[in-house]
């Protein structure tokens, strides 16, 4: 067993600060885009992006992150975690600069995908360095402090994005990443040894290629359906079928690999497999409802970016408080007794968007967002921790890779499907209001409510803007119903697969460092 070098306490604290800064950077980037979507859709203040392009701007990042993260850990073992971490920061900063000055939606999508590559390299290395730096009780304390960066990022991201959008151009939300990444690079170079594992994990280029191509094809077909509003076209169903086939081949390939980066066998275990399916369905629903919420607050209700960012704080506060609350309840009750009701409540809050309209008081929106964040936080944290604990320690690394990949994949598909439902329903609802309008006006108004409002102002047709708002609300109501069903399905999966009561366990032994490090 390799014993990690003992570092001075002050140096450990400085390393933890650098790691938290990088984690905060990733969480900020995960949240600022939702506040920026409405601005990016605006033809004057943004890029005039259509819903499909905004779905790709969101999904390309998550897709790259999901499919590369389980390979990044093996790269860290081979070349050193600081080397991989630094490479990820350079890629993340460079692609953030590219995104900030993107001249069209296509460039933004490509830049966001590159940012996802950087995040995929950063995240496993970040956790690995944390595990190498701290030992014993200090490690548990460090992990607890480190985890707080997620809550800070969730709360600060929308507010920071709102402030920047109110005072600067939309690219500033990405440009802010560059100096933070530069500071983190200096900290890594000065403070962090280049930890690496003496046992190299094999790379999995075939699995990486199949998973990326399969998810890209599937997401393309789903998003394309929203753009053409027809499922029977070959450019819709062919990519979907190809994507599903490639993902099936990916699973077969991973089953044949001796040490797979993504081990499908783990999903055959009832509790681990069911819990991951439930988390994937929950993240599907969260991604979809977040996509709707951005356009509802800033588009339909006319909130400024800053006001919309402040309005989303209850979600972050609830998520931040939900995990520790659920942890205490699980000790008294059971994982099933806590998480199934919590996920059911989360589903009901997502369905609650079906009752929101153009005149809904802000206080009701805030109450719903608080309950939604609290209930989601009470599911994700405890279920994720429990899934890893159900596995033997030697399988913790593989289990972590499976869980992270399933969660991110759920987010990718959720954005694609949620946005497509919104586009199709909006187009059907706006069509009667376009009778008699000139051809260019009809074409632009069909794209999205944002485009309809813009052209209504240009041609002095306020009734068209009102019709676009009503059409969007109708689309959101329909989408909210489907999203709630998906989340309820996740609750049903937890009810079926989780044990009825927690088994009593003996004292937890002191962790073997090499085995614990594998969970990174």
């Amino acid at each position: 067993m390799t014993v990690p070098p003992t570092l001075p306490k002050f140096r450990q604290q400085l390393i933890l600060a650098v790691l938290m800064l990088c984690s905060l950077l990733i969480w900020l980037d995960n949240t600022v885009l939702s506040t920026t979507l409405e601005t990016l859709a605006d033809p004057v203040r943004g890029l005039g992006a259509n819903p499909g392009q905004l779905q790709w701007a969101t999904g390309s990042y998550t897709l790259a992150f999901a499919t590369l993260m389980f390979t990044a850990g093996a790269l860290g073992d081979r070349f050193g975690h600081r080397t991989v971490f630094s490479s990820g920061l350079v890629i993340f900063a460079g692609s953030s600069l590219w995104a900030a000055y993107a001249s069209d939606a296509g460039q933004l999508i490509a830049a966001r995908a590159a940012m996802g590559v950087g995040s995929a390299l950063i995240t496993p290395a970040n956790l690995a360095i944390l595990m190498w730096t701290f030992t014993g009780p200090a490690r548990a304390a460090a992990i607890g402090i480190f985890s707080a960066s997620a809550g800070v990022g969730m709360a600060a991201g929308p507010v920071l994005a709102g402030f920047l959008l109110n005072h600067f151009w939309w690219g500033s939300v990405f440009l802010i990443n560059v100096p933070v990444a530069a500071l983190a690079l200096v900290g890594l170079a000065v403070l962090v040894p280049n930890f690496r594992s003496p046992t190299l994990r094999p790379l999995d280029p075939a699995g990486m290629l199949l998973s990326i191509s399969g998810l890209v094809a599937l997401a393309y077909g789903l998003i394309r359906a929203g753009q053409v509003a027809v499922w029977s076209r070959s450019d819709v169903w062919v990519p979907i079928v190809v994507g599903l086939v490639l993902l099936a081949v990916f699973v077969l390939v991973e089953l044949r690999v001796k040490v797979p980066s993504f081990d499908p066998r783990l999903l055959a275990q009832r509790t681990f497999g069911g819990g991951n399916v439930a988390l994937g369905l929950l993240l599907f629903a969260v991604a979809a409802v977040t996509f709707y919420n951005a356009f509802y607050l800033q588009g339909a209700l006319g909130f400024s970016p800053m006001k919309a960012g402040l309005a989303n704080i209850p979600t972050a506060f609830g998520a931040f408080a939900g995990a520790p609350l659920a942890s205490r309840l699980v000790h008294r009750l059971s994982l099933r007794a806590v998480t199934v009701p919590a996920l059911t409540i989360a589903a009901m809050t997502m369905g609650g968007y079906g009752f929101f309209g153009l005149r809904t008081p802000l206080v009701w929106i805030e109450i719903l967002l608080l309950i939604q964040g609290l209930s989601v936080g009470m599911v994700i944290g405890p279920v994720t921790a429990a899934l890893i604990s159900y596995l033997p320690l030697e399988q913790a690394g593989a289990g972590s890779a499976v869980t992270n990949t399933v969660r991110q994949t759920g987010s990718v598909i959720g954005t694609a499907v949620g946005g497509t439902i919104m586009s199709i329903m909006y187009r059907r609802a706006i069509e009667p209001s376009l009778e008699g309008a000139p051809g260019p006006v009809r074409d632009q108004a069909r794209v999205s409510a944002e485009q309809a409002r813009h052209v209504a102002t240009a041609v002095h047709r306020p009734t068209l803007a009102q019709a676009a708002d009503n059409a969007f609300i109708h689309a959101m109501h329909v989408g909210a119903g489907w999203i709630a069903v998906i989340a309820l399905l996740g609750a049903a999966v937890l009810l079926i697969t989780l044990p009825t009561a927690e088994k009593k366990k003996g004292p937890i032994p002191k962790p073997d460092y090499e085995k614990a490090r594998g969970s990174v």
Side-chain angles (χ1 to χ4, degrees):
M1 181 179 72
T2 301
V3 178
T6 302
L7 301 176
K9 185 174 181 180
F10 181 66
R11 185 176 177 184
Q12 289 180 334
Q13 293 172 341
L14 290 177
I15 291 174
L16 179 60
V18 172
L19 298 181
M20 288 185 66
L21 180 65
C22 295
S23 177
L24 179 63
L25 181 67
I26 300 300
W27 277 101
L28 283 173
D29 190 74
N30 284 339
T31 55
V32 296
L33 185 64
S34 61
T35 307
T36 315
L37 290 174
E38 176 70 25
T39 302
L40 290 171
D42 191 287
V44 176
R45 296 181 298 132
L47 297 175
N50 62 44
Q53 291 169 329
L54 294 176
Q55 286 168 271
W56 275 115
T58 303
S60 63
Y61 173 92
T62 312
L63 193 149
F65 188 77
T67 53
L68 294 177
M69 189 162 54
F70 58 78
T71 301
L75 291 174
D77 289 342
R78 188 175 296 267
F79 301 107
H81 293 294
R82 187 184 65 184
T83 299
V84 173
F85 200 148
S86 300
S87 301
L89 279 172
V90 170
I91 293 172
F92 190 83
S95 52
S96 295
L97 192 64
W98 181 14
Y101 291 101
S103 59
D104 56 47
Q107 288 189 26
L108 178 63
I109 292 167
R112 288 285 297 167
M115 291 172 70
V117 173
S119 296
L121 295 175
I122 290 170
T123 301
N126 204 346
L127 293 173
I129 290 173
L130 179 70
M131 298 293 285
W132 277 98
T133 301
F134 296 92
T135 58
R139 182 185 295 161
I143 291 174
I145 296 172
F146 176 80
S147 300
S149 59
V152 174
M154 289 175 63
V159 178
L160 176 62
F163 174 82
L164 293 172
L165 291 170
N166 274 5
H167 294 84
F168 306 99
W169 96 112
W170 62 266
S172 60
V173 302
F174 300 113
L175 199 61
I176 195 68
N177 295 337
V178 178
V180 178
L183 179 62
L185 275 170
V186 173
L188 282 175
V190 173
L191 297 168
V192 180
N194 196 22
F195 301 119
R196 72 180 72 197
S197 173
T199 305
L200 301 183
R201 279 188 281 167
L203 300 178
D204 187 10
M208 184 174 66
L209 180 61
L210 286 167
S211 60
I212 291 175
S213 56
L215 280 174
V216 167
L218 179 59
Y220 175 84
L222 293 171
I223 293 173
R224 184 63 179 161
Q227 294 174 318
V228 300
V230 177
W231 289 92
S232 58
R233 287 178 45 152
S234 59
D235 57 347
V236 172
W237 66 265
V238 169
I240 292 176
V241 171
V242 170
L244 292 174
V245 169
L246 288 173
L247 291 174
V249 174
F250 164 67
V251 171
L252 293 175
V253 168
E254 295 300 288
L255 287 172
R256 292 176 176 271
V257 176
K258 185 176 181 180
V259 186
S261 298
F262 178 95
D263 192 351
R265 300 174 189 85
L266 296 178
L267 294 175
Q269 301 182 30
R270 176 173 173 170
T271 298
F272 186 82
N276 273 287
V277 169
L279 284 179
L281 293 171
L282 174 58
L283 269 294
F284 176 108
V286 168
V289 82
T290 300
F291 194 76
Y292 286 22
N293 185 59
F295 295 104
Y296 174 61
L297 293 180
Q298 295 185 56
L301 298 186
F303 285 10
S304 69
M306 186 67 182
K307 186 176 180 180
L310 291 171
N312 279 302
I313 287 181
T315 306
F317 178 79
F320 188 57
L325 173 62
S327 179
R328 289 192 291 270
L329 290 175
V330 165
H331 283 298
R332 296 184 178 183
L333 304 171
S334 70
L335 184 67
R336 185 188 189 205
V338 173
T339 58
V340 172
L343 186 44
T344 302
I345 294 172
M348 294 171 63
T349 64
M350 294 170 186
Y353 278 79
F355 298 95
F356 286 174
L358 297 174
R359 294 177 179 81
T360 301
L362 179 59
V363 63
W364 292 114
I365 300 173
E366 297 296 86
I367 291 172
L368 181 137
L369 291 178
L370 176 62
I371 297 173
Q372 185 178 106
L374 184 66
S375 54
V376 169
M378 291 181 68
V379 176
I380 292 179
V383 172
T384 301
L387 293 183
I388 301 303
S389 69
Y390 275 113
L391 298 175
L393 281 176
E394 59 269 18
Q395 290 184 305
S400 178
V402 169
T403 299
N404 282 315
T405 302
V406 169
R407 286 169 55 174
Q408 297 299 329
T409 300
S411 295
V412 172
I413 305 304
T415 301
V417 173
T420 292
I421 293 174
M422 183 179 74
S423 296
I424 292 175
M425 291 298 106
Y426 165 80
R427 193 169 303 176
R428 291 178 182 176
I430 194 68
E431 201 64 45
S433 303
L434 300 179
E435 293 182 5
V441 172
R442 289 200 307 270
D443 292 341
Q444 190 168 353
R446 287 192 188 107
V447 172
S448 66
E450 288 69 35
Q451 297 281 358
R453 295 185 195 104
H454 176 72
V455 73
T457 302
V459 300
H460 307 291
R461 292 186 59 170
T463 55
L464 177 58
Q466 184 178 0
D469 288 339
N470 291 330
F472 170 79
I473 293 297
H474 169 73
M476 183 178 74
H477 289 174
V478 175
W482 282 106
I483 293 167
V485 169
I486 295 297
L488 282 173
L489 182 58
V493 171
L494 283 183
L495 180 65
I496 295 170
T497 58
L498 291 183
T500 55
E502 298 299 300
K503 295 180 179 179
K504 298 295 182 181
K505 298 180 181 180
I508 300 174
K510 292 183 179 180
D512 181 290
Y513 181 74
E514 277 299 300
K515 291 181 179 178
R517 197 197 62 78
S519 65
V520 175

